[in-house]
Amino acid sequence: MVRSIPRRCGAALLATAVTGLLAVVDPRPAAAVVTAGDVSDRAIYIFEADRQEVIRVGPDGTSAIIGTGLLNSGGQGFDVGPDGAVYSTATNFNRVETLAPNGTTVPVPFVTALTSPQSVGVDDSGAVYVTRLGNGTVVKRAADGTESTFSLPVALAFDAAVGGDGSVYMINRFNGSLVMRTPSGVVSTVATGAQIPNASAVAVDDGGVIYLGAYTGQIYRVTLGAGPTTFEVLATGLGYINDISVTGDGHVYASRDADDVVELNGDGSVTQVLTGFDRPVGLVVRTVPSPPSSVTATPGSASADVSWDTGQTNGGRPIVRYTAVSDPGGLTCTPLVPTDTQCTVTGLTDGVQYTFKVTASNTMTTAGESLLSGASNAVTPGLPEAPTSFQATPGDTTADVSFVPGSPGGDPNQTWETSIDNEVSWQPLVTQPGAGGTLTGTVSSLPNGVTSTILLRGRTSIGPGPAATTTVIATSPSPSPSPSSTSPSPSPSSTSPSPSPSTTSPSTTPPTTTPPTTTPPTTQPPTTAPPTTPAPTTPPTTAPTTTPPTSATPTPTSSTPAPTRPNAPTGVTATAGTSSVLVSWQPPADNGVTITGYRAVAVPGPASCTTNGATSCILGGTAGVSYRVMVVATSASGNSPASAYSNTAIPTAPTVATTPPATNVPLDTDQGQITTTTPGQSLTLVGSGYAPYSTVTLTLYSEPIVLATVVTDKNGAFSQAVTVPADLASGKHSFTATGVNPRGKPRAMRMDVTVQHEPSNLPVTGSAVMWLLVTGLSMTTAGAGLRLVKPIRQSR
């Protein structure tokens, strides 16, 4: 919260005060704000009194005028709420103003009369506190619009601050003291004027530590605790301090009459952060979240699924919105459930390459928005994704390949093609279904004995997608098992005794003895015929057992270079859970290849999960389905062979409790949220944030009635038509959706409705209808506020 003492006023101030209600902007150009320090995790708001403008300097260092025509003649009445709404007091017009999205001012509809409102502050619940000039009266307007009034013992109220818990701190200008009121109503004097001399601006951090700025150049810190209150002078000689602000992480800032903003250092010095203002009397500095990290994109048809990890900090408040932005085009998406970390950008042009960046915000406006994240991987919508788990088994000038198809993108008619010459040419690949959702085929024309790189990609009518890569060494067949090498061995001529005499006959001279011995050839064939039959049997028996191993194995080994992909993981186990399967495995034996991660694939598919090195992950699962899981290790040069399959695991359905789950995550319909329904009405319930391909149970309470079970899509979202039971009793009921998130933790969504047997005269309320009602109320209130304005404002 920000407050300070006005020192200068003039004709421009009076003119702006008179014309402010007409939203007439000061014709002078905006101040040339110069960023002199690091503001990368800050959003800084400055109220320039002379220009009556609110300037916001974002974490990227750029400045913008976000509001004009405010009637605040000083800086005391200026604050930014937890939702990013900017508030200012119009003292002479007895009201508090806030900035509309278009930068114009809108009166806050207080019912209690605000006589000369001086300071304004907002607590973490969104309640607005207004102090009246000249006394210690405070009017509190809660977030639901209810109002209350209380007083502090202050003779002359000046600046005030509100802690996140609703504690009010007020400077008594009459004696310079600081008075405090707790939310329970306990009032005490925190510091005397002697302890904090000349204090004129006060702020309090999230831990209740109080900081004060003095118009004589001091900054004080007051710490309350179980023991005595401590008082410290943190800095002196800073010149005229207009206002002071402290962030949730304890950094102290001050706006000065030197037309700058400075940050207090630990040694009492200050660092100039911003310069170039025109009397910056009001100051609020807020921390914003760190940008998200690890942004990844997956292309679809004229769309892309974008996912990311949360940033390191949330800026001191919960993240309520993420926004993904495309480049080129600037198309955006936000998750259906604000805290989810994935959404789908639609309206993209097929065939155009895109990257995406993401911002996080702890407000629904730009007030709490982080810097943009780093860019995602580049994707081309409409094109098929690269195949995964690509493997090759060598053959003779061939390789048998298997792979898991990627998404076909914008055209489901996907074909496959390979290249073995580094993309110089591509040949079609004929595929057949394989095990576990894989496709198989054969690549030919590979040279034997050398390493070949095979590229594989999908192609549709939109074009070819990115390629997957693997390597293989085709092998020549061994010569030993061939018929030509074994035929001489069983030849009868080599064993027949009949040729034997004929060959030895010329060397045996005595013809008289030889003829009687060798004459009966009729008995020789019978004696040689039996060996002829076993002879062919014996050589083949010995040839395969000795020759092939010695000739086939050394050939590829002798020409094989160092391994180019990891070994397969081992020890894969699957543990069934609710709508999920926990997969764990052991790293493969080290072969010198650096592993970049793992991919686990469920069979039956299509669920899968990936890690950056962890040896376990969660797969979404359909209740009652029996799954086995295989795992591959990934590397820069290719994936490992697939592991052996895990044991079987059968996920269970989410348990239906007797009472509805306690959750603030809203369940929705395809027509927006509803508050009433009738028996027999058909609805389409929609939700997201669950594990992909997991079972979600849709239940209606008071008594639990299971309306349907539904399996989520690849993004963990569902859309399911249900019918309200015709015999459902009138009264309060709740639609719920229970399952698990991508980490396997329970996730529930809920929508409370009133069941009416008679149709209501009012239509079912959705976000669009509520917006019209709020807009109408704002216009009515604004009109009433206009009638309260005095024709001439006196400058102070």
Side-chain angles (χ1 to χ4, degrees), residues 174-318:
F174 183 77
N175 60 15
S177 63
L178 179 67
V179 178
M180 170 186 174
R181 181 186 185 273
T182 66
S184 61
V186 177
V187 177
S188 61
T189 297
V190 174
T192 66
Q195 292 166 324
I196 51 169
N198 305 313
S200 56
V202 59
V204 59
D205 69 13
D206 292 345
V209 179
I210 307 160
Y211 295 85
L212 300 107
Y215 57 82
T216 50
Q218 294 84 25
I219 292 180
Y220 305 102
R221 179 167 61 198
V222 180
T223 305
L224 308 177
T229 300
T230 61
F231 303 88
E232 301 170 84
V233 179
L234 301 181
T236 60
L238 301 185
Y240 194 101
I241 295 178
N242 285 327
D243 204 1
I244 191 168
S245 181
V246 58
T247 61
D249 57 0
H251 290 254
V252 180
Y253 295 81
S255 63
R256 303 192 296 181
D257 210 39
D259 292 339
D260 64 1
V261 173
V262 296
E263 180 180 1
L264 180 65
N265 300 319
D267 60 0
S269 64
V270 293
T271 298
Q272 191 177 64
V273 176
L274 301 172
T275 62
F277 296 105
D278 193 352
R279 199 154 71 97
V281 296
L283 175 68
V284 174
V285 184
R286 295 184 54 154
T287 52
V288 299
S290 301
S293 61
S294 303
V295 182
T296 58
T298 303
S301 177
S303 65
D305 296 334
V306 185
S307 61
W308 56 89
D309 291 340
T310 57
Q312 293 181 346
T313 67
N314 62 7
R317 293 178 173 84

Side-chain angles (χ1 to χ4, degrees), residues 214-607:
Y215 57 82
T216 50
Q218 294 84 25
I219 292 180
Y220 305 102
R221 179 167 61 198
V222 180
T223 305
L224 308 177
T229 300
T230 61
F231 303 88
E232 301 170 84
V233 179
L234 301 181
T236 60
L238 301 185
Y240 194 101
I241 295 178
N242 285 327
D243 204 1
I244 191 168
S245 181
V246 58
T247 61
D249 57 0
H251 290 254
V252 180
Y253 295 81
S255 63
R256 303 192 296 181
D257 210 39
D259 292 339
D260 64 1
V261 173
V262 296
E263 180 180 1
L264 180 65
N265 300 319
D267 60 0
S269 64
V270 293
T271 298
Q272 191 177 64
V273 176
L274 301 172
T275 62
F277 296 105
D278 193 352
R279 199 154 71 97
V281 296
L283 175 68
V284 174
V285 184
R286 295 184 54 154
T287 52
V288 299
S290 301
S293 61
S294 303
V295 182
T296 58
T298 303
S301 177
S303 65
D305 296 334
V306 185
S307 61
W308 56 89
D309 291 340
T310 57
Q312 293 181 346
T313 67
N314 62 7
R317 293 178 173 84
I319 302 295
V320 298
R321 178 174 58 87
Y322 289 101
T323 303
V325 185
S326 74
D327 181 19
L331 298 171
T332 64
C333 70
T334 56
L336 183 63
V337 176
T339 55
D340 283 351
T341 55
Q342 58 184 10
C343 63
T344 301
V345 180
T346 58
L348 304 176
T349 301
D350 285 339
V352 175
Q353 189 178 82
Y354 292 87
T355 59
F356 300 87
K357 297 180 179 180
V358 183
T359 63
S361 181
N362 52 29
T363 71
M364 294 306 294
T365 67
T366 58
E369 198 167 85
S370 73
L371 291 171
L372 285 166
S373 69
S376 72
N377 55 299
V379 296
T380 303
L383 296 182
E385 294 179 11
T388 58
S389 302
F390 184 29
Q391 304 176 53
T393 302
D396 181 12
T397 70
T398 64
D400 294 331
V401 298
S402 67
F403 59 93
V404 176
S407 167
D411 181 356
N413 300 312
Q414 183 171 200
T415 59
W416 305 95
E417 56 190 18
T418 60
S419 175
I420 58 175
D421 53 12
N422 197 26
E423 303 188 71
V424 174
S425 62
W426 293 86
Q427 289 75 40
L429 177 69
V430 178
T431 62
Q432 301 84 33
T438 63
L439 293 178
T440 63
T442 300
V443 179
S444 58
S445 301
L446 299 175
N448 285 334
V450 297
T451 301
S452 296
T453 298
I454 305 175
L455 282 75
L456 170 69
R457 69 186 184 186
R459 177 182 283 276
T460 66
S461 61
I462 300 172
T469 304
T470 190
T471 57
V472 69
I473 301 175
T475 58
S476 302
S478 170
S480 53
S482 67
S484 60
S485 62
T486 57
S487 57
S489 183
S491 174
S493 61
S494 63
T495 57
S496 173
S498 182
S500 184
S502 64
T503 55
T504 58
S505 169
S507 60
T508 317
T509 8
T512 54
T513 57
T514 304
T517 311
T518 59
T519 309
T522 53
T523 59
Q524 296 300 334
T527 57
T528 58
T532 305
T533 306
T537 307
T538 307
T541 304
T542 57
T545 57
T546 58
T547 309
T550 55
S551 62
T553 305
T555 302
T557 304
S558 60
S559 59
T560 301
T564 58
R565 55 183 183 146
N567 290 322
T570 61
V572 182
T573 60
T575 304
T578 302
S579 300
S580 61
V581 175
L582 170 63
V583 188
S584 59
W585 58 90
Q586 296 297 320
D590 186 8
N591 64 353
V593 179
T594 301
I595 295 174
T596 58
Y598 297 93
R599 177 180 176 88
V601 180
V603 179

Side-chain angles (χ1 to χ4, degrees), residues 744-770:
K745 302 299 183 183
R747 175 175 177 79
M749 305 176 74
R750 175 171 169 170
M751 180 173 64
D752 295 332
V753 298
T754 300
V755 173
Q756 301 174 339
H757 276 262
E758 293 297 329
S760 172
N761 292 327
L762 289 175
V764 173
T765 60
S767 57
V769 177
M770 288 301 297

